[in-house]
């Protein structure tokens, strides 16, 4: 098929408003058929209401969780001091903010989620490839985070209720109260996501300041126990700033970037509700780098304080909070951990796969159905077993698949910004035979760029314990820079293949002529 605009849809099928946002023209037919449903269609302009605070609150809620808390502590564990750890995390989040803003631009402009956005480059059917990969990663993280949330309920409730709760009869190697805690936390998340995106927005709005308050209280408590802030800052670097530091800095930086690599693709799922580009740009710029840097600083300070107070570094905030015998403190810690875990799990690991699964069969799978599928898959992967072997699952499988997402980001950025110059045809994103149909719904150029970029990004990585050693030892020198290698390679190769085959060169000009401005 060619990429020329079909004649069945009139040139004025979409309107460009004075602020640059685009929507389907009122007198044009609403996209329908096998590739459209209510959840995947563009959000109407009047419903794009998220402001700067909403996006900032979203990032505060997603960044303030147990996994983020341990990022800085992990860098401390390999020998960095608090200044080096905080600097590494701050730089990584400034870097990853760039692709987030670039891919997030299509959200408020066109009101479309990530799977639909990916159709422009991968093809209407081909978009399922990056969408499913991303969805499976999110399902894995959803299950693990839900198990962690259940552990928080079980562990801290045991401190309040006593041995009758902690030492309950075991089923499958765990106390039945642990399974109950897991089920309760799972059900809470299902209830929130089932009520839709507006409920999620309201939840993130109040969760963000609450979690910030909780982290601040923990810092105050630890400083009081340590006798001031001096002991919290007293932890020298074991690496200095010589060769030993720079040897660790590069892979650590890529790891910190990789932590948010999924969200750098997910972000159109949220920015599609933005009231303007300014709202999503400032909201993310104020929310992500500042939040992660502040949270890293808090985690280092509190963890350093635990070393001074208890004689050992306690990196897990749940276990640290359990050190107090104050009932109010335990309850506050329980609620804070649960709100933080809920916030990141619902926003990062439920919303996006819900859209991804809906994109597979739009007429059969709605947003809510996709979210429920994610919740069920998150249990079927047996997160309690996966969490017991973090090296094999979190750091190998999820880490490697997450690294592949950098290649997807490179393709999306190249297609949207360089080839199409930010111009998309909304109607054609939902119909067979249009400019995004390519070859039977697949753009083989994007697939090739994804595969080549993925091989270069992770081919030289250590897959242990899945396999012994590295699949392609010759690429081992690239493994420490996997995210950057994947993004850069896929971007260049995709552009080369598209231009060499005559695709996309006149795309922006054609679409600009077909858009009515009001």
């Amino acid at each position: 098929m060619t990429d020329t605009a079909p004649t069945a849809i009139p040139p004025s099928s979409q309107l460009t408003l004075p602020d640059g946002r685009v929507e389907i023209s009122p007198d044009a037919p609403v996209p329908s058929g096998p590739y459209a449903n209510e959840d995947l269609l563009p959000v109407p302009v009047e419903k794009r209401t998220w402001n700067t605070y909403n996006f900032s609150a979203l990032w505060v809620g997603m960044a303030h969780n147990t996994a983020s808390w341990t990022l800085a502590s992990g860098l401390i564990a390999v020998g960095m001091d608090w200044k080096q750890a905080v600097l590494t995390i701050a730089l990584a989040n400034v870097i990853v903010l760039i692709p987030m803003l670039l891919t997030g631009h299509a959200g408020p402009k066109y009101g479309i989620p990530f799977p639909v956005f990916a159709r422009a480059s991968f093809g209407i059917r081909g978009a399922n490839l990056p969408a499913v990969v991303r969805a499976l990663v999110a399902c894995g993280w959803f299950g693990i985070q839900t198990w962690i949330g259940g552990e928080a309920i079980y562990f801290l409730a045991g401190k309040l209720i006593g041995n009758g709760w902690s030492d309950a009869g075991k089923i499958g190697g765990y106390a039945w109260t642990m399974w109950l805690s897991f089920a309760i936390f799972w059900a809470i998340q299902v209830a929130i996501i089932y009520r839709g995106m507006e409920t999620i927005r309201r939840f993130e709005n109040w969760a963000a300041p609450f979690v910030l308050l909780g982290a601040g209280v923990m810092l105050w408590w630890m400083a009081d126990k340590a006798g001031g802030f001096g002991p919290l800052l007293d932890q020298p670097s074991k690496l200095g700033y010589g060769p030993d530091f720079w040897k660790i800095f590069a892979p650590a930086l890529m790891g910190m970037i990789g932590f948010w690599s999924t969200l750098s693709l997910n972000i159109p799922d949220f920015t599609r509700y933005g009231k303007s580009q300014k709202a999503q740009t400032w909201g993310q710029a104020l929310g992500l780098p500042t939040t992660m840097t502040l949270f890293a600083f808090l985690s280092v300070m509190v963890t350093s304080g635990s070393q001074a107070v208890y004689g050992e570094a306690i990196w897990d905030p749940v276990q640290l909070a359990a050190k107090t015998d104050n009932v109010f403190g335990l309850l506050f810690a329980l609620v804070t951990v649960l709100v933080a875990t809920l916030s990141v799990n619902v926003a990062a690991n439920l919303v996006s796969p819900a859209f991804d699964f809906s994109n597979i069969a739009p007429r059969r799978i709605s947003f809510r159905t996709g979210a429920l599928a994610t919740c069920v898959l998150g249990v079927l992967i047996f997160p309690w077993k996966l969490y017991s072997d973090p090296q094999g699952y979190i750091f190998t499988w999820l880490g490697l698949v997450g690294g592949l997402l950098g290649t997807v980001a490179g393709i999306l950025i190249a297609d949207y910004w360089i080839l199409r110059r930010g111009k998309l045809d909304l109607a054609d994103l939902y119909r067979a035979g249009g400019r995004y149909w390519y070859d039977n719904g697949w753009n083989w150029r994007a697939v090739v760029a994804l595969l080549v970029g993925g091989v270069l990004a992770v081919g030289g990585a250590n897959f242990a314990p899945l396999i012994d050693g590295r699949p392609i030892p010759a690429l081992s020198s690239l493994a420490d820079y996997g995210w950057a290698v994947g993004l850069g390679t896929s971007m260049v190769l995709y552009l080369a293949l598209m231009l060499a085959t005559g695709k996309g060169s006149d795309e922006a000009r054609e679409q600009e002529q077909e858009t009515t401005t009001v």
Side-chain angles (χ1 to χ4, degrees):
M1 302 295 295
T2 64
D3 286 344
T4 56
T7 58
I9 300 295
S12 58
S13 61
Q14 60 190 41
L15 298 175
T16 301
L17 303 180
D19 61 3
R21 291 183 296 174
V22 179
E23 65 177 352
I24 298 292
S25 176
D27 57 355
V30 176
S32 60
Y35 305 107
N37 68 18
E38 184 179 355
D39 298 307
L40 296 176
L41 288 175
V43 175
V45 168
E46 64 270 14
K47 294 185 178 181
R48 301 179 202 174
T49 58
W50 287 34
N51 56 31
T52 298
Y53 175 77
N54 295 142
F55 287 111
S56 295
L58 176 73
W59 274 112
V60 171
M62 288 196 293
H64 292 181
N65 60 82
T66 303
S68 295
W69 183 275
T70 58
L71 279 180
S73 64
L75 296 180
I76 297 294
V78 299
M80 291 187 183
D81 63 15
W82 71 270
K83 295 183 293 294
Q84 292 169 332
V86 172
L87 173 63
T88 302
I89 290 177
L91 180 59
N93 284 278
V94 170
I95 293 174
V96 80
L97 177 66
I98 298 173
M100 280 189 180
L101 293 178
L102 292 176
T103 55
H105 183 276
K109 182 172 182 178
Y110 294 101
I112 54 177
F114 163 77
V116 175
F117 179 41
R119 292 176 181 181
S121 52
F122 281 86
I124 291 179
R125 289 175 173 171
N128 285 319
L129 175 61
V132 169
V133 170
R134 189 193 67 161
L136 292 177
V137 175
C139 287
W141 277 117
F142 172 80
I144 289 176
Q145 290 274 17
T146 301
W147 184 254
I148 292 173
E151 275 192 328
I153 295 177
Y154 168 77
F155 187 72
L156 295 174
K159 283 283 186 176
L160 297 173
I161 299 174
N163 294 335
W165 177 274
S166 301
D167 299 332
K170 292 187 176 181
I171 301 175
Y174 295 94
W176 69 264
T177 48
M178 176 62 221
W179 293 112
L180 176 62
S181 301
F182 176 62
I184 291 173
F185 195 69
W186 183 90
I188 292 172
Q189 295 173 106
V190 172
I192 292 175
I193 195 70
Y194 196 77
R195 293 180 65 86
M197 287 297 295
E198 183 60 23
T199 299
I200 294 173
R201 182 183 70 86
R202 291 197 299 267
F203 173 72
E204 296 291 344
N205 281 350
W206 73 263
F210 183 84
V211 174
L212 270 176
L213 175 63
V217 169
M218 185 169 285
L219 176 62
W220 170 82
W221 168 62
M222 188 51 61
D224 181 67
K225 296 279 287 186
F229 286 94
L232 277 62
L233 299 168
D234 187 19
Q235 186 164 339
S237 172
K238 299 176 183 177
L239 303 173
Y241 285 91
D244 290 341
F245 169 73
W246 296 109
K247 182 179 180 180
I248 291 178
F249 174 74
L253 183 67
M254 289 298 106
M256 298 304 105
I257 292 174
F259 186 77
W260 292 121
S261 62
T262 302
L263 267 297
S264 67
L265 298 179
N266 292 5
I267 205 63
D269 295 336
F270 299 97
T271 60
R272 67 189 298 223
Y273 300 98
K275 63 188 303 181
S276 66
Q277 290 295 346
K278 181 179 179 181
Q280 74 99 4
T281 300
W282 279 105
Q284 293 199 78
L286 294 174
L288 174 58
T290 56
T291 290
M292 282 298 295
T293 302
L294 173 61
F295 209 57
F297 176 77
L298 289 174
S299 69
V300 170
M301 293 299 97
V302 174
T303 305
S304 298
S306 71
Q307 175 74 50
V309 174
Y310 301 107
E312 61 174 330
I314 303 174
W315 308 112
D316 188 338
V318 176
Q319 294 185 22
L320 182 59
K323 290 287 186 179
T324 180
D325 294 324
N326 184 282
V327 175
F328 175 78
L330 279 172
L331 287 173
F332 184 79
L334 169 63
V335 174
T336 301
V337 170
L338 291 180
V339 169
T341 307
L342 270 173
S343 183
V344 67
N345 220 21
V346 170
N349 300 323
L350 265 181
V351 171
S352 294
F355 286 123
D356 293 336
F357 288 132
S358 180
N359 191 66
I360 297 174
R363 288 194 291 185
R364 296 183 178 89
I365 304 176
S366 66
F367 173 82
R368 287 184 172 87
T369 304
L372 291 175
T374 302
C375 294
V376 173
L377 288 173
V379 175
L380 294 180
I381 63 170
F382 303 142
W384 49 92
K385 291 186 177 181
L386 298 173
Y387 190 58
S388 67
D389 181 20
Q391 179 62 39
Y393 186 72
I394 299 176
F395 298 109
T396 299
W397 189 80
L398 283 178
L400 293 174
V401 176
L404 293 176
L405 299 181
T407 65
V408 179
I411 293 169
L412 296 180
I413 293 170
D415 184 83
Y416 181 72
W417 286 102
I418 300 177
L419 290 184
R420 306 186 194 280
R421 289 175 285 172
K423 304 290 184 180
L424 295 175
D425 186 314
L426 281 176
D428 270 13
L429 287 171
Y430 299 90
R431 56 190 297 271
R435 70 177 75 244
Y436 310 119
W437 188 244
Y438 298 103
D439 299 303
N440 200 32
W442 288 78
N443 183 5
W444 61 265
R445 305 157 195 82
V447 175
V448 170
L450 174 65
L451 293 177
V452 173
V455 169
L456 292 177
V458 303
N462 189 351
F463 279 59
L466 297 183
I467 64 173
D468 185 16
R470 305 171 187 269
I472 308 177
L475 298 177
S476 60
S477 60
L478 300 179
D480 289 343
Y481 309 91
W483 182 84
V485 169
L487 185 143
T489 300
S490 63
M491 179 181 292
V492 173
L493 182 57
Y494 177 77
L495 287 173
L497 291 174
M498 289 291 284
L499 294 175
T501 54
K503 302 294 183 181
S505 57
D506 297 321
E507 191 81 9
R509 190 178 304 107
E510 292 175 4
Q511 290 171 185
E512 190 170 9
Q513 294 172 351
E514 295 171 6
T515 301
T516 299
T517 302
V518 296

